């Protein structure tokens, strides 16, 4: 018997050990991280045994690891034992009672984004979704339509209950729990997220998640998302909310997996705007995300687009494994840092199949005392003949106290591979601002216009309604960055 | 319309304008000529409100009110315009988008209704014809990859779209071929009106054959050294600035 099977057997034998939690009425997990905590979460979520085993396996691996420090970030170590790993959906009683209790700065931002008052209340946590929207019926009509086509779009927890075989087949197949520190942690303690399945030959007729803009929040700090597109299927998924959310969580460690079979096409767009901390760098979210897609079948395509303006610390490298021949991977990114924010983001393109192509466009904008790094790997394996990569990395600096860094790693093991890398660094020009101002445009609008122009190629990749909000967001996050 | 009194301005501690006086009445077209480095662009940029310069004396009045405390965008909203000697490139921002934002900011500041995309486009197309600006330059990023002449033409196009009350054109004729010069001059002439004033900064008498000025000034060493009618430009063309210089020196010695 191999040691792996032994472990599984052992685990299988252990499972009833946690049965005693049935009697516990509490809605919050025992403090700290332990096998008990994990069993508690799994039990609360009524998960099948194999999933609990997966979690425990991940946990046992996790405790052998130490937190990585190779990214160009400096942040306080996180005390994993002070976090609560499970609490029932936030009850209204915990939140602010009226908009008056909400940080006025947050409200000001909502105003600028043009978010209707009712929606503001939901985002700030003053009222629950159903108090404002007839979300249930929206969701039902929407789901009905998708169901006709065989498209599954639901929460991860629901998928575990309703489609366990699909979840079991694909979960962890792109990001195994052994991948990295945060992926291991997530695999052990993840709470919820989204699940999308588009069957063979189906083109999903709508952008998934727009209707769920509000509903999809509060998925917790350890989010898990899985998207599978079968042969010839097409889907565009939008993650996140363009409005900043009231959120007490300190750390987010999500895992997102995408699987594209033959001729499938997955487009994944993110606008991330979590609390970045104040001007002095107090508070703010630590955002450690593992996002990866696999172009498993021939002629498949995965495209990541991200606009990252929030979080105190961002550590994120959406990647594509180009396994299928002629498969295509794309990464379009805008990362904005202001005040004391730190972002270390980029992508990995792993060329395995023949005639595979990847395209990377990264735009980093740094202001204040912030630091913004692009870190990217382009790897062409021995069998990947005629692989092509084009990388363009542009940085824009505002002021003299911020930093922009580029770390391109290139690893080509096949002589027919062609990898191109271009990088530029520009300073936002006083003369550009003066030019626009002399035409009647305010200095803040001028900066927004110059920055949006700088990011145009990336913003053009976003679905229309997202693009407009993302543009407003960029200017809001850079407010006060020009004297 | 515009009244400049004893204007002193410096950049990085170097005084460039040493007490300059200039009055432009509504409906007038003035020309400013003068040797390289005499301060013509400095004057234009100080009027437009560039923060590179510090005004250390005097005042600039627009329609009777001092504008020194106003930011460049506030000045534009009041109806001032400068055509840049070296227009600036803004990558990724389309000319049309930029100008629509500009016009709408100005309209908003004046309490006017903002123009919709369609309304603006109609307005812009009409003005583009005025300076014979090719359609594709409307769509392209602001000044990016424009030839020198196209950039200059784009400045006058902007002026036509924004319809300012007072404009100062800094060497808009430099770099234009003969046909373009005529087109631009025609455009400017069509923008002349009893309620508008224009100052053209130029090195060449040739432009003034097309845009006939009411008044010509010679700017030397940060001051208006001589003012006259359009014949002054012709005289300058013949004898050069040394003549004005000489006259100035004599005047200065006489004063001393
Ligand atoms: N940062 C600076 N520090 C010192 N002197 C400066 C600075 N910038 C400009 N100057 C000087 O100011 C003077 C006036 O320049 P300006 O551009 O106004 O001249 P101009 O009359 O427009 O010349 P041209 O006909 O060549 O366009 C020049 O001598 C120039 O060198
Ligand atoms: Mg000049």
């Amino acid at each position: 018997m191999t040691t792996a099977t032994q472990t599984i057997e052992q685990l299988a034998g252990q499972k009833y050990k946690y049965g005693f939690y049935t009697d516990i009425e509490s809605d919050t997990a025992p403090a700290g991280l332990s096998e008990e905590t994990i069993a508690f979460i799994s039990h609360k979520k009524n998960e099948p045994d194999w999933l609990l085993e997966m979690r425990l396996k991940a946990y046992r691996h996790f405790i052998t690891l130490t937190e990585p420090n190779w990214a160009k970030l400096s942040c306080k170590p996180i005390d994993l034992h002070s976090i609560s790993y499970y609490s029932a959906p936030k009850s209204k009683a915990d939140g602010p009672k009226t908009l008056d209790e909400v940080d006025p700065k947050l409200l000001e931002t909502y105003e600028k984004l043009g978010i209707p008052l009712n929606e503001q209340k939901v985002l700030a946590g003053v009222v629950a979704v159903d108090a404002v929207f007839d979300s249930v019926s929206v969701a039902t009509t929407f789901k009905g339509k998708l169901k006709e086509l065989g498209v599954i779009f639901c929460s991860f927890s629901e998928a575990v209950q309703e489609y366990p075989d699909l979840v079991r087949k694909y979960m962890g197949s792109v990001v195994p729990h052994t991948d990295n520190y945060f992926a291991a942690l997530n695999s052990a303690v993840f709470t919820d997220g989204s699940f999308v399945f588009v069957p063979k030959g189906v083109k999903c007729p709508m952008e998934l998640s727009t209707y769920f803009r509000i509903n999809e929040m509060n998925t917790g700090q350890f989010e898990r998302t899985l998207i599978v597109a079968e042969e010839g299927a097409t889907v565009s998924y939008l993650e996140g909310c363009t409005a900043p959310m009231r959120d007490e969580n300190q750390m987010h460690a999500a895992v997102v997996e995408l699987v594209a079979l033959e001729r499938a096409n997955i487009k994944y767009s993110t606008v991330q705007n979590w609390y970045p901390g104040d001007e002095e760098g107090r508070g703010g979210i630590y955002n450690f995300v593992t996002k990866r897609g696999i172009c498993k079948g021939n002629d498949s395509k995965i495209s990541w687009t991200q606009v990252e303006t929030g979080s105190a610390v961002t550590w994120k490298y959406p990647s594509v494994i180009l396994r299928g021949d002629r498969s295509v991977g794309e990464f379009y990114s805008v990362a904005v840092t202001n005040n004391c924010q730190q972002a270390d983001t980029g992508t990995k393109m792993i060329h395995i199949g023949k005639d595979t192509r990847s395209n990377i466009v990264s735009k980093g904008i740094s202001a204040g005392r912030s630091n913004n790094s692009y870190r990217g790997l382009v790897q062409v394996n021995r069998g990947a003949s005629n692989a092509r990569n084009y990388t363009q990395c542009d940085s824009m600096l505002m002021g003299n106290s911020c930093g922009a860094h580029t770390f391109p790693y290139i690893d080509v093991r096949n002589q027919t591979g062609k990898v191109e890398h271009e990088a530029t660094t520009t300073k936002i020009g006083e003369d550009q601002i003066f030019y626009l101002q002399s035409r009647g445009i305010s200095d803040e609008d001028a900066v927004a216009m110059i920055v949006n122009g700088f990011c145009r190629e990336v913003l053009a990749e976003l679905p229309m309604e997202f693009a407009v909000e993302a543009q407003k967001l960029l200017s809001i996050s850079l407010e006060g960055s020009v004297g | 319309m515009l009244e400049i009194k004893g204007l002193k301005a410096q950049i990085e501690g170097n005084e460039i304008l040493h007490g300059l006086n200039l009055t432009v009445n509504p409906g007038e077209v003035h020309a400013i000529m003068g040797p390289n480095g005499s301060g013509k662009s400095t004057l234009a940029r100080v009027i437009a409100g560039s923060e590179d310069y510090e005004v250390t004396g005097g005042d600039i009045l627009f329609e009777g009110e001092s504008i020194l405390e106003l930011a460049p965008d506030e000045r534009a909203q009041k109806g001032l315009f400068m055509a840049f000697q070296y227009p600036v490139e803004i990558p990724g921002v389309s000319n049309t988008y930029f100008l629509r934002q500009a016009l709408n900011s100005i309209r908003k500041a004046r309490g006017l209704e903002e123009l919709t995309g369609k309304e603006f486009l109609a307005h812009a197309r009409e003005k583009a014809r005025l300076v014979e600006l090719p359609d594709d330059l409307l769509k392209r990023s602001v000044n990016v990859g424009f030839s020198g002449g196209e950039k200059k033409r784009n400045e006058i196009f902007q002026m036509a779209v924004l319809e300012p009350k007072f404009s100062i054109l800094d060497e808009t004729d430099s770099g234009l071929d003969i046909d373009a010069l005529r087109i631009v001059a025609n455009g400017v002439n069509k923008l002349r009106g009893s309620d508008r004033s224009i100052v053209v900064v130029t090195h060449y008498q040739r432009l003034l054959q097309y845009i006939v000025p009411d008044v010509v000034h010679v700017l030397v060493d940060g001051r208006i050294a001589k003012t006259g009618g359009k014949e002054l430009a012709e005289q300058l063309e013949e004898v050069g600035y040394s003549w004005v210089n000489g006259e100035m020196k004599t005047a200065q010695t006489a004063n001393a």
Side-chain angles (χ1 to χ4, degrees):
Chain A
M1 220 192 297
T2 65
T3 40
T5 22
Q6 260 172 352
T7 323
I8 292 170
E9 302 262 287
Q10 275 170 9
L11 285 174
Q14 277 178 348
K15 68 188 170 201
Y16 293 109
K17 189 176 146 194
Y18 305 102
F20 61 86
Y21 275 114
T22 327
D23 301 330
I24 295 183
E25 288 285 306
S26 160
D27 261 346
T28 308
L33 186 53
S34 65
E35 299 205 358
E36 281 76 12
T37 309
I38 291 162
F40 176 90
I41 297 171
S42 187
H43 179 82
K44 273 282 169 198
K45 299 175 77 65
N46 191 29
E47 287 176 355
D49 294 344
W50 60 265
L51 194 49
L52 172 60
E53 281 154 25
M54 267 182 90
R55 286 177 182 276
L56 290 172
K57 203 168 160 191
Y59 173 71
R60 286 173 193 147
H61 176 70
F62 173 75
I63 52 179
T64 67
L65 304 173
T66 47
E67 202 175 333
N69 61 359
W70 46 268
K72 196 175 171 52
L73 304 170
S74 63
C75 49
K76 279 183 232 114
I78 302 146
D79 180 8
L80 292 171
H81 289 280
S82 66
I83 298 174
S84 168
Y85 289 89
Y86 180 86
S87 52
K90 287 197 184 87
S91 81
K92 230 208 113 208
D94 303 336
K97 306 280 178 296
T98 65
L99 279 182
D100 296 340
E101 290 175 34
V102 178
D103 183 357
K105 265 198 181 162
L106 192 63
L107 295 180
E108 206 179 293
T109 307
Y110 291 157
E111 194 109 315
K112 288 192 176 159
L113 282 166
I115 293 169
L117 194 68
N118 276 343
E119 232 176 284
Q120 290 186 23
K121 287 183 183 167
V122 177
L123 289 166
V126 176
V127 291
V129 179
D130 17 348
V132 171
F133 300 95
D134 189 5
S135 59
V136 181
S137 73
V138 170
T140 321
T141 19
F142 185 57
K143 270 190 178 167
K145 199 167 168 190
L146 290 177
K147 202 167 180 181
E148 276 172 37
L149 294 161
V151 176
I152 301 168
F153 179 36
C154 62
S155 74
F156 200 89
S157 309
E158 197 181 330
V160 168
Q161 302 301 323
E162 305 289 325
Y163 314 99
D165 295 343
L166 281 175
V167 174
R168 194 172 184 180
K169 182 169 175 191
Y170 291 108
M171 183 188 171
S173 70
V174 193
V175 181
H177 69 268
T178 49
D179 193 80
N180 68 69
Y181 183 81
F182 299 108
L185 178 60
N186 176 288
S187 303
V189 300
F190 71 89
T191 39
D192 212 337
S194 309
F195 177 77
V196 177
F197 177 83
V198 188
K200 211 167 169 170
V202 172
K203 290 203 179 347
C204 188
M206 52 196 92
E207 312 271 358
L208 293 185
S209 116
T210 40
Y211 286 85
F212 289 77
R213 194 173 96 153
I214 306 288
N215 314 37
E216 288 271 305
M217 39 185 282
N218 281 333
T219 38
Q221 53 194 138
F222 298 103
E223 201 176 331
R224 186 97 200 180
T225 292
L226 173 59
I227 298 177
V228 179
E230 284 196 329
E231 291 83 353
T234 296
V235 62
S236 166
Y237 180 85
L238 314 181
E239 172 198 46
C241 186
T242 48
M245 285 187 267
R246 193 183 69 99
D247 191 338
E248 300 83 8
N249 291 324
Q250 261 291 115
M251 180 174 76
H252 282 251
V255 169
V256 176
E257 297 177 283
L258 313 182
V259 181
L261 304 186
E262 216 171 285
R263 285 171 289 104
N265 191 330
I266 302 177
K267 187 176 170 64
Y268 192 108
S269 315
T270 309
V271 174
Q272 185 267 113
N273 186 29
W274 283 322
Y275 184 52
D278 67 9
E279 286 84 351
E280 299 306 316
R282 283 180 297 250
I285 307 278
Y286 288 3
N287 189 24
F288 304 120
V289 190
T290 307
K291 287 185 163 172
R292 191 174 307 147
I294 181 164
C295 285
K296 219 170 169 176
N298 293 342
D299 303 293
S300 54
K301 178 176 173 184
I302 288 178
S303 179
W304 297 101
T305 305
Q306 59 174 27
V307 175
E308 304 278 324
T309 64
S311 297
V313 175
T314 300
W315 180 96
K316 182 180 172 188
Y317 317 90
S319 308
V320 184
I321 300 168
L322 297 154
R323 164 91 63 76
D325 291 346
R326 296 173 301 282
S327 58
V328 177
E330 294 175 336
F331 175 73
Y332 299 99
S333 169
V334 170
V336 180
T337 52
N338 196 0
N339 297 319
C340 301
Q341 279 178 280
Q342 304 173 67
D344 195 298
T345 183
T347 185
K348 285 188 252 177
M349 294 290 175
I350 313 294
H351 293 255
I352 300 170
K354 295 182 181 56
D355 303 306
T356 45
R357 281 187 291 127
S358 61
N359 193 23
I360 299 170
V361 180
S362 160
K363 306 274 180 177
I365 298 142
S366 340
R369 284 173 287 152
S370 68
N371 265 298
N372 204 324
S373 306
Y374 168 82
R375 187 184 302 276
L377 167 71
V378 177
Q379 183 180 316
V380 176
N381 285 7
R382 200 164 298 144
S385 45
N386 294 315
R388 296 279 175 277
N389 163 266
Y390 176 71
T391 301
Q392 185 191 329
C393 259
D394 300 322
S395 310
M396 181 180 262
L397 300 171
M398 304 177 68
N400 296 317
S401 318
C402 54
H405 319 270
T406 307
F407 305 98
Y409 304 94
I410 295 169
D411 177 5
V412 181
R413 302 176 201 165
N414 183 305
Q415 289 201 332
T416 59
K418 262 199 192 136
V419 175
E420 274 179 83
H421 180 93
E422 276 180 38
T424 64
T425 301
T426 46
K427 252 189 108 145
I428 193 161
E430 293 294 328
D431 54 338
Q432 290 178 318
I433 297 174
F434 176 54
Y435 189 71
L436 297 183
Q437 263 192 297
S438 77
R439 299 301 183 244
I441 296 166
S442 73
D443 54 353
E444 276 190 2
D445 289 348
V447 170
M449 198 177 275
I450 295 163
V451 168
N452 278 315
F454 175 72
C455 302
R456 194 183 55 168
E457 296 145 276
V458 174
L459 297 176
E461 291 297 320
L462 285 175
M464 196 50 197
E465 59 162 287
F466 243 41
V468 174
E469 285 186 58
Q471 282 190 14
K472 289 191 208 159
L473 243 192
L474 287 183
S475 42
I476 291 170
S477 23
L478 286 168
E479 242 163 46
S481 52
V482 279
Chain B
M1 175 82 57
L2 190 84
E3 197 183 352
I4 298 175
K5 296 189 291 196
L7 184 66
K8 290 186 178 176
Q10 59 178 42
I11 183 163
E12 289 168 10
N14 303 299
E15 192 175 278
I16 311 290
L17 302 180
H18 312 287
L20 185 144
N21 298 301
L22 179 71
T23 300
V24 184
N25 296 310
E28 287 180 352
V29 172
H30 290 214
I32 296 181
M33 304 181 81
N36 294 135
S38 57
K40 303 180 297 298
S41 295
T42 304
L43 173 64
R45 294 171 72 86
V46 169
I47 294 173
S50 165
E51 275 151 26
D52 294 346
Y53 303 90
E54 193 191 340
V55 173
T56 50
D59 206 348
I60 305 175
L61 307 180
F62 180 63
E63 298 186 313
E65 280 173 46
S66 174
I67 54 166
L68 286 184
E69 294 304 315
L70 299 182
D73 48 315
E74 295 170 315
R75 297 185 193 198
Q77 287 156 7
K78 284 205 179 297
L80 276 114
F81 181 89
M82 166 175 67
F84 283 58
Q85 182 174 3
Y86 305 107
V88 180
E89 301 186 357
I90 318 281
V93 178
S94 89
N95 223 355
T96 333
Y97 177 76
F98 148 64
L99 262 187
R100 185 177 152 209
Q101 295 303 108
L103 183 60
N104 279 339
S105 308
I106 291 173
R107 291 179 66 93
K108 211 163 129 190
R110 294 181 186 165
L112 297 170
E113 197 68 22
E114 292 184 38
L115 295 186
T116 64
K118 213 173 152 192
E119 288 166 340
F120 174 77
L121 219 58
H123 177 69
R125 288 240 167 83
E126 183 198 319
K127 301 301 179 182
R129 273 197 295 277
L130 200 70
V131 288
E132 298 179 29
L133 192 82
D135 252 12
D136 79 299
L137 293 193
L138 281 175
K139 289 181 217 126
R140 271 163 57 181
S141 293
V142 182
N143 294 323
V144 177
F146 286 27
S147 75
E150 287 169 343
K151 283 183 182 169
K152 295 301 177 76
R153 211 185 281 198
N154 195 28
E155 293 293 290
I156 301 307
F157 167 61
Q158 293 177 30
M159 173 183 167
V161 168
L162 301 179
E163 302 179 317
K165 293 183 201 158
F166 173 86
S167 310
I168 180 160
L169 315 182
D170 192 0
E171 292 198 28
T172 302
D173 54 334
S174 310
L176 291 179
D177 65 40
I178 300 161
D179 291 342
L181 181 71
R182 216 184 42 241
I183 292 165
V184 164
N186 273 340
V188 173
N189 283 332
K190 284 189 195 135
L191 296 172
R192 285 174 91 148
S194 59
D195 51 347
R196 293 209 186 128
S197 313
I198 301 170
V199 173
V200 292
V201 173
T202 183
H203 285 295
Y204 306 106
Q205 206 269 335
R206 200 181 53 198
L207 175 73
L208 304 181
Q209 288 170 352
Y210 294 109
I211 304 175
V212 182
D214 302 300
V215 185
V216 175
H217 308 273
V218 185
L219 203 163
V220 180
D221 193 20
R223 288 185 190 87
I224 300 293
K226 202 169 174 60
T227 295
K230 62 175 190 292
E231 65 292 341
L232 180 56
E234 288 155 27
Q235 276 173 302
L236 277 174
E237 187 99 337
E238 275 168 40
V239 294
Y241 294 117
S242 55
W243 161 62
V244 186
N245 269 331
E247 241 180 41
M248 273 239 312
K249 292 241 168 64
T250 328
Q252 274 168 356
T253 346
N255 281 346

